[in-house]
């Protein structure tokens, strides 16, 4: 692995563009002052792999819906109807997501770890920060696998055209004038500013937009409102499973809104089935021994080093790496122990000379469109660093 040392962006600059979560709890920088050097061939391999994986997810999603496998995926029962409705109607467009991958550099094969399909993090870092880091160091900022910003802008247009041809947007939209309301929780600067970045991109795409914290948005069987103004589209940076578990009444109202065609929600409810790590087991059943997949089961794997994790867990919480003899290599605690466990074949992440592990994250917005890396220990957690890249 080749790392190129760069002059870091200053905290003052980062804050000036809204990136205020630049320093971790231990007072170290969250953004690495290095970038990973990759080849054009490696970038293309990430692109091709994620496009193929998304097609596989869509095929497997149809299988889950047709066979009512929601319980197997640990899907809350109160979201099943809205998942089915959003899946069956093409207007519920998947706006963006992120594949987490092992390999792809140092000659290691690309393997899917999981798919952050609903509320993926590191959007700001991937789309803006790593680009700015190259520019600040007088490097060619275009030398990245990273057109995430433009891809998102085009995908916002596709929620109107429902077509690969975004040029139709002006023709359709001028006759409609539809509006998008963007919402996050009010207690996370990262969520707020990531949501506002997406609002800015939608605004550049040509939409009328507004922002409101989730607790101030009004919901009824007539639709989604801010100050009595009705919005045809609602973007929420709040996980669907959190709505199901913590806001069951809201889950019911949103189901009625979608079924009655009063509003369209992003990301759509069906992304929750992709988000479930249990989906990796469905993929393995449908595509056994596929070169991009790791063997995954709802039962412990026999005679293999493996990772036990929860269908809905975040930032590496409630995760165990289990050795072939059943002993625990390393494990983490967390708040997700109540969710169903899956067991996935262990794959070692690429490492640098200091023993740090690197996991690739590839964003997907109609197609694979942006690469970034996370660096940390064997189990990546909320103290992992974001590492950009450069194509040489």
């Amino acid at each position: 692995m080749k790392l190129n040392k760069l002059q870091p962006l200053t905290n003052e600059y980062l804050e000036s563009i809204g990136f205020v979560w630049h320093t971790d709890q231990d007072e170290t920088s969250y953004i690495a002052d290095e970038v990973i050097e990759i080849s054009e061939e490696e970038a293309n391999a990430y692109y091709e792999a994620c496009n193929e994986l998304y097609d596989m997810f869509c095929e497997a999603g149809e299988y889950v819906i047709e066979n009512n496998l929601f319980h197997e995926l640990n899907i809350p029962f109160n979201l099943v109807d809205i998942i089915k409705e959003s899946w069956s109607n093409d207007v519920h467009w998947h706006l963006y997501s992120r594949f987490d991958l092992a390999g792809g550099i140092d000659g290691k094969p690309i393997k899917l770890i999981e798919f952050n399909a609903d509320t993926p993090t590191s959007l700001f870092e991937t789309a803006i920060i790593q680009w700015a880091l190259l520019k600040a160091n007088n490097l060619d900022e275009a030398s990245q696998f990273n057109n995430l910003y433009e891809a998102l802008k085009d995908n916002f247009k596709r929620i109107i055209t429902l077509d690969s041809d975004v040029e139709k947007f002006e023709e359709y939209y001028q006759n409609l004038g539809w509006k998008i309301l963007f919402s996050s929780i009010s207690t996370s600067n990262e969520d707020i500013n990531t949501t506002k970045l997406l609002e800015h991109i939608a605004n550049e795409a040509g939409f009328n937009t507004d922002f409101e914290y989730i607790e101030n948005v009004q919901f009824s069987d007539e639709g989604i409102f801010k100050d009595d103004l009705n919005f045809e589209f609602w973007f929420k940076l709040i996980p669907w499973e959190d709505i199901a578990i913590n806001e069951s009444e809201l889950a019911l109202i949103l189901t009625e809104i979608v079924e009655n065609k009063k509003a369209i929600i992003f990301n759509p409810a069906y992304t929750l089935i992709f988000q479930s790590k249990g989906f990796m087991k469905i993929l393995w059943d449908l595509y056994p021994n596929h070169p991009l997949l790791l063997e995954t089961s709802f039962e412990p794997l026999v005679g293999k080093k493996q990772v036990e994790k929860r269908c809905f867990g975040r930032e590496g919480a409630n995760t165990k790496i289990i050795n072939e003899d059943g002993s625990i290599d390393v494990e983490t605690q967390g708040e997700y122990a109540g969710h169903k466990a899956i067991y996935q074949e262990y794959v070692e992440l690429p490492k640098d000379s200091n023993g740090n592990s690197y996991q690739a994250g590839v964003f997907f917005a109609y197609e694979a469109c942006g690469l970034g890396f996370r660096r940390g220990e064997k189990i990546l957690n909320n103290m992992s660093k974001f590492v950009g890249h450069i194509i040489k």
Side-chain angles (χ1 to χ4, degrees):
M1 180 186 301
K2 188 168 183 182
L3 291 163
N4 293 343
K5 193 85 168 176
L6 300 180
Q7 190 67 30
L9 299 168
T10 66
N11 290 348
E12 290 75 19
Y13 171 77
L14 291 170
E15 290 173 9
S16 75
I17 62 172
F19 192 80
V20 295
W21 56 101
H22 49 66
T23 303
D24 285 328
Q25 292 176 352
D26 60 0
E27 298 302 315
T28 60
S29 175
Y30 162 52
I31 304 296
D33 59 354
E34 298 170 305
V35 291
I36 296 175
E37 185 177 310
I38 69 170
S39 67
E40 192 75 49
E41 292 74 19
E42 288 169 330
N44 288 336
Y46 279 126
Y47 174 78
E48 296 292 343
C50 291
N51 289 339
E52 182 176 356
L53 283 168
Y54 195 81
D55 288 343
M56 292 161 61
F57 267 79
C58 290
E59 292 287 336
E62 185 68 32
Y63 178 80
V64 167
I65 301 280
E66 286 181 354
N67 292 280
N68 283 303
L69 300 179
F70 304 102
H71 179 71
E72 285 84 345
L73 298 184
N74 207 199
I75 302 295
F77 73 93
N78 57 353
L79 290 179
V80 169
D81 287 345
I82 192 173
I83 288 171
K84 288 181 175 180
E85 181 66 28
S86 65
W87 183 265
S88 64
N89 191 333
D90 287 344
V91 302
H92 300 282
W93 196 265
H94 193 177
L95 187 60
Y96 77 120
S97 50
R98 190 193 78 234
F99 288 99
D100 285 346
L101 307 163
I105 52 177
D106 278 3
K108 296 182 182 296
I110 295 170
K111 296 288 185 180
L112 174 65
I113 297 173
E114 56 195 54
F115 188 31
N116 297 273
D118 179 17
T119 54
T121 56
S122 76
L123 175 73
F124 207 124
E125 298 91 306
T126 303
I128 305 294
I129 301 302
Q130 63 173 341
W131 175 86
L133 188 60
L134 294 189
K135 188 174 178 65
N137 282 269
N138 298 313
L139 296 168
D140 180 8
E141 61 270 22
S143 295
Q144 291 184 340
F145 168 29
N146 185 18
N147 63 318
L148 176 54
Y149 192 100
E150 292 301 320
L152 282 166
K153 191 189 296 186
D154 284 346
N155 228 18
F156 273 114
K157 294 178 180 180
R158 289 190 187 97
I159 68 180
I160 297 295
T161 68
L162 300 177
D163 194 306
S164 60
D165 184 4
V166 297
E167 299 302 320
K168 296 178 181 178
F169 173 76
E170 299 295 337
E171 170 191 343
Y172 291 166
Y173 182 71
Q174 285 174 352
N175 299 324
L176 298 170
W178 284 347
K179 307 172 293 297
I180 310 178
L181 180 63
F182 288 79
S183 296
S184 75
I185 59 173
S186 60
T187 54
S188 167
N189 286 326
E190 180 178 354
D191 286 6
I192 293 166
N193 286 1
T194 298
T195 303
K196 288 187 173 180
L197 172 62
L198 284 159
E199 182 192 2
H200 177 77
I201 295 171
N203 203 258
E204 279 197 358
F207 279 92
N208 296 316
T209 66
D210 203 348
F211 177 89
E212 186 55 270
Y213 297 122
I214 178 68
E215 57 263 37
N216 298 326
V217 179
Q218 298 128 35
F219 305 93
S220 75
D221 54 9
E222 289 301 312
I224 297 172
F225 297 84
K226 175 187 176 182
D227 300 329
D228 297 326
L229 181 64
N230 178 240
F231 286 83
E232 294 84 6
F233 298 107
W234 183 47
F235 174 88
K236 46 117 205 109
L237 199 67
I238 301 105
W240 275 108
E241 71 268 23
D242 286 0
I243 293 174
I245 294 166
N246 302 323
E247 301 286 346
S248 57
E249 186 176 342
L250 177 58
L252 179 62
I253 295 172
L254 292 177
T255 299
E256 292 176 353
I257 287 171
V258 168
E259 288 182 341
N260 294 328
K261 298 177 173 54
K262 297 296 185 182
I264 295 168
I265 301 169
F266 303 108
N267 274 313
Y270 66 74
T271 59
L272 186 60
I273 63 175
F274 293 168
Q275 181 84 23
S276 170
K277 296 175 183 62
F279 201 88
M280 306 302 111
K281 195 268 184 188
I282 304 296
L283 283 174
W284 185 257
D285 288 347
L286 296 178
Y287 303 95
N289 300 306
H290 190 285
L292 294 173
L293 301 180
L294 296 166
E295 182 179 357
T296 308
S297 175
F298 293 132
E299 303 295 332
L301 302 175
V302 177
K304 288 190 176 182
K305 190 168 185 178
Q306 60 200 278
V307 180
E308 177 189 325
K309 47 190 174 181
R310 304 292 154 171
C311 280
F312 296 105
R314 293 172 184 270
E315 297 181 329
N318 301 103
T319 299
K320 294 178 187 176
I321 298 178
I322 305 171
N323 294 316
E324 290 179 21
D325 62 4
S327 62
I328 305 298
D329 182 355
V330 61
E331 68 177 307
T332 60
Q333 305 302 314
E335 59 187 83
Y336 306 105
H339 288 291
K340 184 176 182 177
I342 67 153
Y343 301 85
Q344 185 180 62
E345 179 185 354
Y346 175 77
V347 60
E348 190 163 302
L349 298 172
K351 287 183 167 57
D352 62 23
S353 58
N354 294 318
N356 297 306
S357 297
Y358 289 78
Q359 177 179 280
V362 176
F363 276 88
F364 190 95
Y366 190 72
E367 63 180 355
C369 57
L371 169 67
F373 291 88
R374 289 174 68 203
R375 176 171 73 197
E377 300 176 357
K378 276 187 178 180
I379 299 175
L380 299 177
N381 55 32
N382 62 356
M383 293 296 284
S384 301
K385 307 303 183 184
F386 179 83
V387 187
H389 73 286
I390 187 168
I391 297 174
K392 290 249 181 125

